[in-house]
């Protein structure tokens, strides 16, 4: 991710995933320096059995930047990572050179929730069927037919049950609506137009709430637009960051 103040970019991952979700070099625009980290409860980070919040995850991200001596960064968050990025931008505006929010939501009463049909498909007792339903929410049938996996967007298999519960609770309780107008970083909101996992209707809500935010919907893309449509998305994000840099 093209950066500022030393060329740093901080991608934040979706819920229940470790930084491995960002290891594909074409997931993000080419970096000067790209920083990824494992949320608490995932990957190599500690997994305390205590409540997690998206605002708390933002503090964890800030601690990573502090430890590495990065004063300002472009922050790119997808899904729950986008919720975390909202707090990072709202609470610590001096640390962001630019903000990209992908396939995410403001949460709370104003966010558009997934339908009951989608919820039922993910809650099936047949775990193989539930996994297939999740994959179909992430990717188009054409992509799945030609990409047998492994899929890095469907969760950290090594995540303990208590951490998974806390991550789901953090995502469910997210509500940044009142804070969004205070975001001052140049912002791009990007979303798959066919996303029903985190409904695409959330994208114009965010873009309309954040002053000066730009909106880009990717036709035909579902939730994992950043992987399946990575060339399109990467170009959109790279062009945005280049424009911000002037």
């Amino acid at each position: 991710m093209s950066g500022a103040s030393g060329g740093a970019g901080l991608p934040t991952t979706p819920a229940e995933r470790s930084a491995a979700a960002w290891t594909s070099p074409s997931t993000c625009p080419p970096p000067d320096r790209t920083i990824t980290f494992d949320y608490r409860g995932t990957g190599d980070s500690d997994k305390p059995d205590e409540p997690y919040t998206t605002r708390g995850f933002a503090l964890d991200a800030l601690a990573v930047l502090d430890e590495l001596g990065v004063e300002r960064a472009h922050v790119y968050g997808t899904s729950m990572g986008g919720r975390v990025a909202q707090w990072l931008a709202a609470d610590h505006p001096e640390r962001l050179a630019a903000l990209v929010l992908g396939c995410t939501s403001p949460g709370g009463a104003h966010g558009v929730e997934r339908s009951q049909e989608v919820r039922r498909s993910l809650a099936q007792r047949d775990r193989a069927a539930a996994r297939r339903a999740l994959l179909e929410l992430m990717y188009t049938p054409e992509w799945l037919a030609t990409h047998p996996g492994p899929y890095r967007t469907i969760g950290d298999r090594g995540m303990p049950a208590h951490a998974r519960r806390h991550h789901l609770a953090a995502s469910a309780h997210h509500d940044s609506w009142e804070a969004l107008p205070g975001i001052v970083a140049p912002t791009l909101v990007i979303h798959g137009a066919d996303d029903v996992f985190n409904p695409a209707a959330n994208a114009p809500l965010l873009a309309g709430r954040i002053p000066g935010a730009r909106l880009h919907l990717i036709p035909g893309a579902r939730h994992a637009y950043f992987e399946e449509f990575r060339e399109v998305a990467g170009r959109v994000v790279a062009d945005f960051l280049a424009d911000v840099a002037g």
Side-chain angles (χ1 to χ4, degrees):
M1 194 175 293
S2 178
S5 297
L10 178 71
T12 55
T13 59
E16 301 179 34
R17 296 149 179 80
S18 69
W22 287 107
T23 55
S24 170
S26 53
T27 299
C28 291
D32 295 329
R33 181 187 186 192
T34 301
I35 301 163
T36 63
F37 70 101
D38 294 338
Y39 285 126
R40 65 177 65 200
T42 71
D44 292 327
S45 290
D46 292 341
K47 302 170 179 63
D49 189 358
E50 62 188 27
Y52 303 161
T53 66
T54 52
R55 208 166 198 165
F57 287 144
L59 290 176
D60 290 345
L62 190 67
V64 171
L65 295 178
D66 288 343
E67 178 67 21
L68 296 175
V70 176
E71 294 183 4
R72 299 180 77 219
H74 297 319
V75 174
Y76 186 172
T78 62
S79 199
M80 193 183 76
R83 300 178 184 194
V84 174
Q86 292 164 40
W87 286 123
L88 194 58
D91 291 344
H92 307 280
E94 74 284 357
R95 306 301 295 272
L96 272 73
L99 174 66
V100 180
L101 300 175
C103 56
T104 191
S105 164
H110 297 279
V112 179
E113 296 294 328
R114 64 187 63 131
S115 69
Q116 288 303 313
E117 179 182 3
V118 169
R119 292 180 185 276
R120 285 193 295 270
S121 73
L122 296 172
Q124 297 177 76
R125 290 186 178 181
D126 183 335
R127 300 317 300 163
R131 182 178 185 274
R132 181 68 188 183
L134 178 59
L135 287 172
E136 290 174 351
L137 291 166
M138 296 288 153
Y139 308 101
T140 65
E142 294 78 14
W143 172 269
L144 290 172
T146 56
H147 294 78
Y151 306 104
R152 293 177 174 176
T153 57
I154 59 173
D156 179 356
R157 292 187 177 183
M159 191 176 187
H162 71 264
R164 191 176 303 277
R165 289 194 305 271
H166 293 319
H167 269 252
L168 291 172
S171 183
H173 294 143
H174 174 76
D175 184 357
S176 64
W177 188 256
E178 295 302 324
L180 294 175
I183 292 178
V184 297
T187 301
L188 170 67
V189 178
I190 184 168
H191 214 116
D194 293 347
D195 187 358
V196 295
F197 181 75
N198 191 343
N202 284 298
L205 289 177
L206 287 166
R209 190 72 172 163
I210 299 172
R214 306 180 193 182
L215 172 64
H216 189 95
L217 298 177
I218 300 177
R222 299 187 179 185
H223 192 62
Y225 76 85
F226 48 85
E227 182 176 5
E228 181 175 356
F229 290 80
R230 60 187 180 272
E231 292 184 6
V232 174
R235 184 166 56 251
V236 170
V237 174
D239 288 349
F240 166 70
L241 295 178
D243 191 37
V244 167

